[in-house]
Amino acid sequence: MTAELVRGQNHPLVEVRLEIRVSAGTPIVAGATLGDENGTVHGVEWVAHPGSPLLPGVEVSRQAAAEHRLAVDLDAVAEAVHRVGVLLALPTGIAGPTSFGSVPAPFVAVTGLDGTEVASYTITGLTAESAVVALELYRRQGAWKVRAIGQGYAGGLAELLADQGLPQARQLAAGIFKAVEQGMARSVPAPPPLPSDGGRSRQPAGPAPGPDQSDASPNGQHPQGNPGPYGGPPPSGPQGTQPAQPPAEPPAGYVTGPTPTNTPPTPPQTPAGGPIDYSHPRRQNTAPPPPPAAPPAQPGQPAQPVAGDATGWSMEERLYNQVWGMFEDLARTTAAYRSAVDFADTRMEKELDEVLSDPRSRIGGQGDAARETARAKHSQLVDQARQVLDRDLAQLAAEADVVEPALPPAYARWDNPVWHAYRVPMEMPMALRLGDLHLPESDGLRIPMLIRLPLERGLWIDSGRTGSVDGTFFDSHELRRLALDSAVAHTARLLAVHPADEFTVHVIDPAGSGAQSLAPLVRAGVLAGPPAVGAAGVTDVLARLTQRVDLVQMAVRGGAADSLPPGFDTSQQLLVVNDFPHGFDDRAVNQLRYLADEGPAVGVHLMMVADREDAAGYGPLLDPLWRGLMRLTPVPDDHLADPWVGHAWTYEPTLTPPGSRVLDTVLAQVAQARGQRNP
């Protein structure tokens, strides 16, 4: 997952060979500075720029361009280098914008060599600045990280370099711009914007290509509607030219209707002064339709949120993307708030240290006044950050109030009225709700935790915790009951969102201790058989599912997936294991590990209700099993780590309301639908 950074936020770097991609709406200059532990640049030889693009471990572009790719090898930089700064500047001495406030916000992404984005940052808030430090790669305790800087300089590149301690800043900046001016003929312009209607038409006129641009067409673009320098397919004709003999009546685009197999379609003609339509006669737009338009806001009031306000082919996909966007928005605004609070704390500590470092100001009115001033600044910064956070939380809460009632059963809580009109679906949904997520700063705002289907890993309901984040404590027996109740709720939801006879559930309860919690599933008759009890029952169920995994794997690997035995159950399989490792011998434990590792790929999934301490006797043998399962808790717990921004999200399971019969009603409909399919 790409880490979308905000100003001041950092992110660890796992790889050392990286590519930094820069996109802007106008040609800009990109360079890099190498600094010591304090960020000081000691000489011109510590700066990579178009006039001197190569330094040990760093290579930058040789020209001004709308897009850049900078190569970085952190293992190759000198040992004295602890910081690598990525700087952007607008060229001077040529016709063009003079400040970043008049151009689109630059976008910077750190990627691996395979193109996978590690972190990205959109530099917003620039006005009169003509140079900016975009990112900083820095070394801390032997590990490299990236930090979003976004520090702009109205004095331009010279002021930027001088701020980093370079003595010859003004002379170097002048030399950089001179080298850029000499090579402006090689500049790569920004891609022409697409029309507002989302079509593929382009203007026929454009600037002459430089020596680094494709000459496939007069404006440096391929005649298929894709610009040459940005990766479009090659033209079908030589040099991308049009045929010499146009038809008698030039069409606006390709000729519609059936086209003979061996006869190419008539290419588009070029109306004088008009746009060219490069649409394919039989190719539909592959982009999903735009989200529905929000109702117009009242004057002076913010726009009202709309359920499904995201892209997608269906309402289900739109809601899924909208929930994911809400999660990202909450993570981003909370990260910005925490970063602002950390900055305020650091600033206050620095100011207090300065006061205490002077013996004359430690006592007396001067020192007290300085302390009060530092604390007042701290409170002001925190209050400003909290106001922004509260504003964003209010918007997200308003959106959640609209989205939650519109969710389909697979995404909805058990208390949602949508379950009152539940019907067994005809196809599997794209995702499933496992619970809710929230952060300490937004305790009242819950974001649905959705996972994609089919399940890619098993689930582990941890029955070993004795406390909750809200301070509530449970005894071991109560927690085990809550864990199995949570597992039953998850199982019922999985049964409810799959079509009839496309999801089969097996249960292992060796000691029979879960009979009360399992009663809704047993009473509805939706299990493949009675819960297996005793060592013999454990052995029988595991043997059958292990054999199933082996058989499907052999069929798939042998290319004979259609040759499974007659009557073979092709539905998804779920094994619910309660009270592990009671009733399991060494062979059964190995079979369980095998199902957890190999089962999801062939439709066999695992849900365990267990306390890891009960299986401590197996030592590290079961460590891969626990790591391979997604850990959930029966009570609220902040155990879900977010590698994107480093948050610890509090997970809260979704259980049926006390006294509600919704679970029995839904399971009864599932059983009825199965009975109709198999009379």
Side-chain angles (χ1 to χ4, degrees):
M1 183 183 297
T2 303
E4 298 182 10
L5 304 180
V6 296
R7 184 175 181 179
Q9 185 182 349
N10 58 43
H11 185 75
L13 296 175
V14 179
E15 303 180 40
V16 294
R17 300 184 64 188
L18 304 167
E19 189 174 72
I20 299 175
R21 302 182 179 184
V22 180
S23 298
T26 187
I28 61 174
V29 179
T33 59
L34 306 181
D36 58 14
E37 292 181 346
N38 299 320
T40 303
V41 179
H42 292 279
V44 294
E45 67 277 5
W46 288 48
V47 182
H49 55 85
S52 178
L54 291 175
L55 288 180
V58 178
E59 182 178 0
V60 303
S61 304
R62 299 175 181 269
Q63 62 188 40
E67 295 190 356
H68 292 270
R69 293 192 177 187
L70 285 65
V72 178
D73 186 352
L74 298 175
D75 278 346
V77 299
E79 294 184 2
V81 174
H82 290 262
R83 299 188 186 185
V84 179
V86 178
L87 56 91
L88 310 176
L90 293 170
T92 61
I94 60 173
T98 58
S99 66
F100 279 108
S102 60
V103 300
F107 175 79
V108 187
V110 180
T111 73
L113 295 183
D114 58 353
T116 303
E117 283 194 10
V118 179
S120 63
Y121 175 42
T122 302
I123 311 172
T124 58
L126 299 177
T127 55
E129 298 87 346
S130 59
V132 60
V133 179
L135 296 175
E136 180 183 68
L137 313 180
Y138 65 98
R139 178 162 30 196
R140 180 71 55 82
Q141 296 178 350
W144 285 91
K145 296 183 178 182
V146 57
R147 177 188 288 119
I149 302 296
Q151 177 63 53
Y153 295 85
L157 185 58
E159 182 181 356
L160 184 154
L161 295 173
D163 190 49
Q164 298 194 9
L166 184 65
Q168 310 91 340
R170 190 167 300 278
Q171 296 88 333
L172 178 59
I176 292 175
F177 288 134
K178 183 177 180 180
V180 170
E181 187 176 355
Q182 293 175 351
M184 278 306 291
R186 296 170 53 84
S187 297
V188 181
L194 289 174
S196 58
D197 60 358
R200 299 175 65 89
S201 60
R202 297 182 183 274
Q203 298 298 325
D212 285 346
Q213 292 180 256
S214 169
D215 59 352
S217 64
N219 59 350
Q221 300 169 1
H222 286 307
Q224 299 294 334
N226 295 312
Y230 306 99
S236 56
Q239 300 297 323
T241 55
Q242 304 294 339
Q245 299 295 332
E249 296 182 359
Y254 281 105
V255 177
T256 57
T259 302
T261 305
N262 298 325
T263 304
T266 305
Q269 304 304 309
T270 309
I276 305 175
D277 185 3
Y278 290 117
S279 59
H280 194 281
R282 291 168 297 181
R283 181 178 300 161
Q284 298 180 352
N285 183 14
T286 58
Q298 298 296 329
Q301 298 294 327
Q304 297 299 315
V306 177
D309 187 16
T311 58
W313 289 106
S314 64
M315 189 61 175
E316 178 191 7
E317 185 178 359
R318 288 178 175 177
L319 288 169
Y320 174 84
N321 291 332
Q322 186 172 12
V323 169
W324 181 249
M326 293 168 60
F327 171 83
E328 290 182 337
D329 289 343
L330 180 56
R332 186 182 298 109
T333 188
T334 305
Y337 170 73
R338 293 180 179 179
S339 177
V341 172
D342 290 342
F343 172 77
D345 292 341
T346 303
R347 177 175 175 175
M348 184 179 68
E349 291 176 1
K350 182 179 179 181
E351 292 177 350
L352 291 177
D353 289 342
E354 291 177 354
V355 173
L356 296 176
S357 63
D358 188 355
R360 296 172 297 179
S361 61
R362 292 179 184 175
I363 57 177
Q366 182 181 358
D368 294 340
R371 295 185 187 93
E372 290 300 325
T373 302
R375 295 190 180 100
K377 290 180 180 178
H378 176 271
S379 299
Q380 181 182 7
L381 291 174
V382 173
D383 290 344
Q384 290 176 352
R386 186 70 209 191
Q387 290 176 5
V388 174
L389 176 65
D390 291 340
R391 179 202 63 195
D392 294 343
L393 293 181
Q395 294 177 353
L396 286 172
E399 187 174 8
D401 291 341
V402 174
V403 170
E404 190 69 45
L407 295 177
Y411 301 173
R413 288 197 295 254
W414 285 111
D415 59 356
N416 193 310
V418 72
W419 289 105
H420 298 165
Y422 167 76
R423 295 293 182 269
V424 178
M426 299 300 294
E427 60 182 12
M428 181 181 67
M430 66 182 300
L432 180 82
R433 185 174 190 160
L434 288 182
D436 294 332
L437 299 173
H438 64 91
L439 293 170
E441 292 85 354
S442 56
D443 189 61
L445 178 61
R446 299 292 191 271
I447 304 296
M449 177 182 174
L450 305 180
I451 61 169
R452 297 297 295 264
L453 291 179
L455 298 173
E456 297 180 356
R457 57 192 298 199
L459 304 177
W460 166 31
I461 316 298
D462 189 358
S463 61
R465 296 294 299 269
T466 57
S468 174
V469 292
D470 58 4
T472 306
F473 287 87
F474 303 88
D475 60 39
S476 59
H477 297 289
E478 177 69 8
L479 201 61
R480 291 176 188 272
R481 184 189 65 79
L482 290 175
L484 189 53
D485 288 346
S486 180
V488 170
H490 293 318
T491 303
R493 185 182 291 267
L494 284 165
L495 285 165
V497 303
H498 282 82
D501 289 343
E502 290 193 14
F503 198 81
T504 304
V505 178
H506 310 264
V507 175
I508 292 179
D509 186 20
S513 59
Q516 181 179 356
S517 297
L518 294 170
L521 299 176
V522 176
R523 190 166 51 243
V526 293
L527 299 179
V533 297
V538 172
T539 301
D540 177 62
V541 173
L542 291 177
R544 285 189 284 112
L545 291 178
T546 302
Q547 183 181 16
R548 174 190 177 86
V549 172
D550 291 338
L551 184 62
V552 176
Q553 281 187 339
M554 287 188 294
V556 172
R557 292 170 181 172
D562 296 333
S563 302
L564 293 170
F568 185 83
D569 183 10
T570 58
S571 66
Q572 298 280 316
Q573 308 286 312
L574 175 67
L575 173 61
V576 181
V577 178
N578 182 42
D579 207 15
F580 176 83
H582 184 80
F584 281 73
D585 55 17
D586 291 344
R587 177 180 175 82
V589 169
N590 288 330
Q591 289 177 321
L592 192 69
R593 285 187 55 189
Y594 177 72
L595 292 178
D597 293 339
E598 304 293 337
V602 293
V604 178
H605 311 285
L606 180 63
M607 182 186 297
M608 291 185 59
V609 181
D611 180 2
R612 188 169 182 175
E613 294 298 325
D614 293 343
Y618 288 95
L621 176 66
L622 292 181
D623 286 350
L625 174 64
W626 305 119
R627 288 196 299 266
L629 302 175
M630 176 184 291
R631 177 174 173 261
L632 304 175
T633 54
V635 295
D637 188 77
D638 57 349
H639 68 281
L640 289 179
D642 178 8
W644 182 35
V645 289
H647 296 330
W649 291 82
T650 297
Y651 166 79
E652 187 173 337
T654 54
L655 301 176
T656 56
S660 174
R661 303 286 299 174
V662 61
L663 205 64
D664 294 328
T665 303
V666 170
L667 291 176
Q669 292 200 34
V670 172
Q672 181 181 3
R674 291 187 173 189
Q676 294 174 353
R677 295 284 297 270
N678 300 302

